[in-house]
Each structure stands twice: as C-alpha cells, then as structure tokens.
Amino acid sequence: MYGKCGFLLMQMPLCAAEREGNMATFHIEFFSESLLRPVSFLVLLPNDVRIPAQELAKNPHYRREPKTLFLLHGYTNASGEWYYGSSIRFLAEKYHLAVVFPNGENGFYLNGEATGHRYCDFVGRELVEYMRKTFGLAKSAQDTFIGGLSMGGFGALHTAFAFPENFGKVAAMSSALIVHGIAGMKPGQDNGVANYEYYRSCFGDLDRVEESDANPETLLLRLKGEKKKIPGIFMVCGTQDFLLENNRAFHRFLLQEEIPVFYEESPGSHNMQFWDAKLEPAICWMLED
C-alpha cells in the first residue's frame, strides 16, 4: 500500500531487542549560531550494524549510501520522544538510515522574532550543514527527509517548504496545523493548550499570521508561484485525533492548489502507538524513487 521497500512491513510485535536495533548513537553538543547557545541532539548512524553478513547481503538498502531522516518531536517533549518511544532504531538499521533527532523545545520549529529563537534555520539549514560537514550525510535533497509528530509534524512541513533545496520529502503525522485556529487571538486569551503570549512568541503577529511565513500555506504558494520544486508530502492522522479537522483542512488546501500529497486517515488517537504504526510506511514512502 505504501510502495516497495524490498521487505514486508512489520507484521508482528517486536521484542525489546528487535525494536531497538544495533546502531551507533551519538549525543552531540555544539554551539548553535541560530539559537546562540550550546544545544544538543541525537544521531543514529548505520555504521555499526550487527546483521549477519549473509542477511545483510540480501538487504537492497545496503547497496546504496545511507539516506538521512530528521525526526521532530512534539510539544512539551524533546529529542528522545522518537528515539526511546518508537521503533526507529530497528527501522533505521533495517532501511540503512541515518536519523537526526533535534531538540526544538516548544518553538514550533519557527524563526521567532527574539534573538536566539531561529528554530527553523537551526533544523532546516544549520543541522543539515553540520551533518554534511561532520558525517558526509544529507548531501542532497534526494537523500534527505524530514518528519515529525504533532508540533513536529507542523515543523516538518514548514521546514521542508522553507528549505526545499535541502529536503526531498516530508512525512507529517497528526500535524498541529493550528495557524487558522490561533489567527486573531488577543492578549489574555488561552485556548487550553497555551496562551496568547506563547503563540505570539512563536508565530509573531497573530492578526497577520495567516499571510506570514509562519504559515506553511504561504510558503507553498510562494514555491508554486516561483515554479520551484515542492518536496513530496506524506500526511496521516488518526480518526480519533483532536487535530483531525486541522489536517483535513490542510489536505483540502493541497488538493485545491493541485499539490500532490499522500494522505490517509485511519483509526487512532494522538499518541505514540498510532505514530509508531505509521513510521515504517512513512519510511517506505520516502525511499520510493
């Protein structure tokens, strides 16, 4: 259903050892010029796999150089959300992927107005350049993908559209596509998730947010108008997810603008059980030619 990866998708639950995989993990700290402070992130590298040689020889993904996937966490979480909570270590080994887990804090992966709050530049430019310089990875958009859940789904879409020269495909799960919901919000208001002051700090002027670069739709319309390549888009959302209508609205926008997208709704809520179940299909879709 999601294209051919050279393997069947996982059919049975994995034991702990199988879920984790065996790959080199790096915890990196460096000074970020975008955030103007020392920051940390995790990297999985497929240079220490322990798959038997005869099995590795059967794996078509090891006949090419590794691709690179940037995975973005959700609101109130950190880089370990995917690393510890999902099967990504097993899947990275299976599909010969390097995986980068940035810490986006609660900044919605946007360039805030305040000094040291350029989260979009941090993920979309600075970390890509760091991976190229340090590990020789993510050299082209064709070999570099970005994905995320909830706030990270929004961030993945926005970052891919802001830096289409760096990301060939984007996988967005249960994305917090909240721009239209917070537009026009006033000081002192709170929507139960966060208050006006928080959204103002992330998205800028909320009276103009729908037309601003904080809106992924604005970036897409600009790319379309300039006839630039738009990254491939994969979207999934659970039918019990509180963000379902937001994702449906963005899907309608893509269809209206005749922008290609893989979109799927299936039973599930806003939780890691749903996102982890969609992770391997998303990776298979990314690896399609």
Side-chain angles (χ1 to χ4, degrees), residues 227-267:
K227 300 186 184 308
K228 292 184 177 180
K229 182 175 175 59
I230 294 174
I233 305 170
F234 175 103
M235 292 180 64
V236 292
C237 193
T239 51
Q240 288 77 50
D241 197 304
F242 72 98
L243 290 170
L244 179 60
E245 292 304 324
N246 305 66
N247 283 262
R248 285 175 172 172
F250 189 72
H251 180 225
R252 288 193 296 270
F253 165 81
L254 295 175
L255 295 179
Q256 176 184 318
E257 296 298 327
E258 299 182 326
I259 296 172
V261 58
F262 175 93
Y263 178 83
E264 181 183 86
E265 297 175 8
S266 59

Side-chain angles (χ1 to χ4, degrees), residues 1-7 9 61 64 67 95 97 141-145 168-170 229 232-234 261-262 280-289:
M1 180 169 57
Y2 295 92
K4 297 180 180 179
C5 287
F7 292 98
L9 301 190
H61 300 285
R64 56 160 172 78
K67 308 284 188 179
Y95 293 110
L97 287 174
Q142 181 181 358
D143 296 327
T144 311
F145 316 124
K169 293 184 177 182
V170 51
K229 182 175 175 59
I233 305 170
F234 175 103
V261 58
F262 175 93
E280 186 171 19
I283 289 172
C284 283
W285 173 86
M286 289 175 174
L287 293 175
E288 289 179 346
D289 293 329

Side-chain angles (χ1 to χ4, degrees), residues 11-197:
Q11 300 295 321
M12 298 295 291
L14 298 168
C15 69
E18 289 173 323
R19 281 177 55 86
E20 291 179 3
N22 295 289
M23 295 175 62
T25 302
F26 292 79
H27 179 101
I28 297 173
E29 295 184 4
F30 78 114
F31 187 88
S32 168
E33 296 294 340
S34 301
L35 303 180
L36 294 179
R37 60 185 181 275
V39 298
S40 65
F41 65 100
L42 295 172
V43 177
L44 270 177
L45 289 185
N47 64 347
D48 190 30
V49 297
R50 302 174 197 175
I51 301 172
Q54 63 271 26
E55 294 300 320
L56 196 62
K58 301 175 186 176
N59 187 323
H61 300 285
Y62 282 83
R63 298 171 196 158
R64 56 160 172 78
E65 293 298 310
K67 308 284 188 179
T68 304
L69 169 61
F70 289 72
L71 269 182
L72 310 186
H73 65 78
Y75 180 65
T76 72
N77 223 302
S79 59
E81 183 172 26
W82 279 113
Y83 182 84
Y84 295 109
S86 76
S87 55
I88 185 57
R89 285 176 281 175
F90 166 79
L91 296 172
E93 180 179 78
K94 180 178 179 180
Y95 293 110
H96 199 206
L97 287 174
V99 188
V100 182
F101 306 87
N103 271 310
E105 301 174 6
N106 286 332
F108 259 83
Y109 302 96
L110 292 170
N111 286 340
E113 295 176 359
T115 299
H117 282 223
R118 287 165 40 218
Y119 294 101
C120 183
D121 288 349
F122 169 61
V123 174
R125 177 184 55 79
E126 190 171 16
L127 279 188
V128 173
E129 292 176 355
Y130 188 93
M131 293 301 293
R132 290 172 178 169
K133 178 178 65 176
T134 307
F135 298 106
L137 295 165
K139 294 179 182 178
S140 68
Q142 181 181 358
D143 296 327
T144 311
F145 316 124
I146 189 168
L149 60 88
S150 194
M151 181 187 80
F154 172 94
L157 291 167
H158 182 275
T159 305
F161 304 152
F163 293 94
E165 69 278 10
N166 287 341
F167 301 99
K169 293 184 177 182
V170 51
M173 304 183 188
S174 310
S175 302
L177 294 157
I178 62 171
V179 167
H180 298 297
I182 63 173
M185 200 172 182
K186 301 302 180 184
Q189 290 185 334
D190 188 308
N191 64 4
V193 176
N195 60 17
Y196 164 87
E197 286 72 21

